[in-house]
Amino acid sequence: MKRILMSILLLFVLILSACGSDESSSDINTIVFADAGWDSIRIHNHIAQTIVEEGLGYDTDVTAGSTAATYQGLRKGDIQVYMEIWTDNLIEIYEESIEAGDVVKVSTNFDDNDQGLYVPTYVIEGDPERGIEPKAPDLKRVEDLKKYPEVFEDPEDPGRGRIINGPSGWSVQKTISEKIKTYDLDETMNDFVPGSDSAAVADLVSAYDDGKGWVGYYWSPTWVTAKYDLTLLEEDLYDEEVWNENKSTEFPPNDVVVGVNKDLPAQAPDVVEFLEKYETSSELTEAALKYMQDEDVSAEEAAEWWMKEYEDVWTKWVSTEVAEKVQEALN
């Protein structure tokens, strides 16, 4: 009888332990967002964090790091939410993580973005107000750049032009380098890799203020493309086979999606329900980015300005009750 009672007691303890472990695996108090290092993801993070904290009652945190490191954190569950997954820039690891079930795509944040090689529009059209004559009036396509090394002269290598690539360590850097070789731009121009995004922007702003020629990789939505009059140089329409062969087309369509770790739907279904409705656009994103730059404020302050300015957008993502809680916290 004693053995039977001990067995029953042990079984009861095991059942309680199992129940306890199930609850702990599904409970979550702090939801961690990924900060991969650019301003727009920080703005979208703060918009979502404000709603999650003030409207839904969770604590939030942010983990900063490179795209590769933060995406790995999302897969492992160290990070729960990624507000800007640029899917084509992470195509292999993204598709692998979706197929493996480690990451769940919950919505498309925006899909009207661009990326490629930009020049200031005055390089092509001039700017009468600033007394700038067109420097390369026939420049339309990326391959045309090789005819204008003097317009984009490398200050460290007179006689040759300079193309500003994506920052060191970014996956797009290899793509731009391949384009440069495919279009034979390396015959007259140098492939310059800046150490950071801020270094590339500083170089552009300096050239723009002086009315000089500049060409380099950039993307939208950013405060740079919102503030400065830039022209994206043309390429052939995207063709997957050609792209895979030598990158001699425009960039492939690049949905920027919101992804969550596989456990979040069970841990915080109300958060996932909100994120499933999260949708903006390049124009809406650039509005916050431009405000951030013009007013010299942080991404968090720009996000709060945006939420007050565009209540009609974000209030559609949540219930009236949640919206009222968030509005009260913002005011």
Side-chain angles (χ1 to χ4, degrees):
M1 177 63 71
K2 186 181 288 186
R3 288 183 179 177
I4 293 174
L5 289 173
M6 289 296 291
S7 297
I8 293 172
L9 180 61
L10 179 59
L11 180 61
F12 184 66
V13 170
L14 289 172
I15 290 172
L16 286 176
S17 298
C19 291
S21 63
D22 285 345
E23 288 175 2
S24 63
S25 66
S26 63
D27 289 348
I28 189 168
N29 295 317
T30 302
I31 295 175
V32 181
F33 288 72
D35 176 2
W38 55 87
D39 289 332
S40 59
I41 195 172
R42 292 176 180 136
I43 287 172
H44 285 296
N45 277 349
H46 194 68
I47 293 169
Q49 284 178 266
T50 301
I51 293 171
V52 169
E53 287 184 2
E54 305 297 345
L56 300 175
Y58 295 83
D59 291 332
T60 70
D61 201 356
V62 174
T63 293
S66 67
T67 300
T70 50
Y71 198 81
Q72 181 64 16
L74 180 69
R75 294 191 70 174
K76 290 171 61 179
D78 299 326
I79 291 170
Q80 281 75 49
V81 181
Y82 214 117
M83 294 301 297
E84 275 193 28
I85 302 174
W86 287 65
T87 54
D88 193 70
N89 291 352
L90 286 169
I91 188 66
E92 291 182 9
I93 188 173
Y94 173 73
E95 291 182 348
E96 176 189 318
S97 67
I98 294 292
E99 290 173 8
D102 298 332
V103 174
V104 178
K105 172 192 170 183
V106 293
S107 66
T108 298
N109 192 334
F110 52 85
D111 60 5
D112 56 345
N113 51 293
D114 287 313
Q115 58 180 324
L117 291 176
Y118 285 85
V119 299
T121 301
Y122 61 71
V123 168
I124 301 170
E125 300 178 4
D127 185 345
E129 291 186 7
R130 298 175 64 191
I132 299 174
E133 295 292 329
K135 296 175 172 60
D138 296 324
L139 176 61
K140 293 182 179 179
R141 299 176 57 84
V142 170
E143 57 262 42
D144 295 336
L145 286 167
K146 62 186 175 184
K147 299 184 292 186
Y148 298 103
E150 73 284 354
V151 174
F152 308 101
E153 188 172 51
D154 187 334
E156 298 178 1
D157 190 4
R160 288 182 61 83
R162 183 175 73 170
I163 297 171
I164 305 298
N165 203 325
S168 176
W170 287 23
S171 58
V172 75
Q173 178 199 327
K174 293 181 180 178
T175 299
I176 296 299
S177 291
E178 188 170 348
K179 283 180 177 289
I180 289 172
K181 292 180 180 178
T182 296
Y183 291 126
D184 296 326
L185 301 179
D186 53 340
E187 294 177 0
T188 59
M189 306 190 76
N190 296 327
D191 180 359
F192 182 84
V193 179
S196 65
D197 172 44
S198 58
V201 172
D203 193 69
L204 166 60
V205 172
S206 175
Y208 200 100
D209 288 345
D210 292 339
K212 294 181 179 179
W214 185 92
V215 59
Y217 169 79
Y218 224 70
W219 73 98
S220 69
T222 62
W223 71 263
V224 174
T225 49
K227 180 171 183 175
Y228 295 101
D229 186 3
L230 304 177
T231 294
L232 178 64
L233 295 178
E234 297 175 8
E235 297 181 79
D236 289 344
L237 293 176
Y238 173 70
D239 180 288
E240 184 176 6
E241 183 177 347
V242 176
W243 176 265
N244 291 334
E245 180 183 350
N246 59 25
K247 302 295 187 289
S248 63
T249 73
E250 62 186 23
F251 276 78
N254 197 346
D255 288 355
V256 179
V257 308
V258 178
V260 301
N261 177 265
K262 62 181 174 58
D263 294 328
L264 193 63
Q267 294 170 326
D270 50 349
V271 172
V272 173
E273 183 181 0
F274 145 59
L275 291 173
E276 286 174 342
K277 299 173 184 175
Y278 197 106
E279 180 183 359
T280 64
S281 66
S282 288
E283 182 179 359
L284 285 168
T285 302
E286 284 190 340
L289 290 165
K290 189 172 186 300
Y291 178 84
M292 177 180 172
Q293 180 66 22
D294 289 346
E295 302 300 322
D296 192 23
V297 298
S298 67
E300 290 76 15
E301 290 171 305
E304 290 174 11
W305 167 86
W306 186 93
M307 294 184 76
K308 293 175 183 177
E309 194 76 9
Y310 294 95
E311 277 192 354
D312 60 318
V313 176
W314 67 264
T315 52
K316 294 176 182 176
W317 306 333
V318 295
S319 68
T320 301
E321 180 183 359
V322 170
E324 288 175 352
K325 290 180 182 178
V326 175
Q327 287 167 327
E328 184 177 348
L330 287 170
N331 295 323

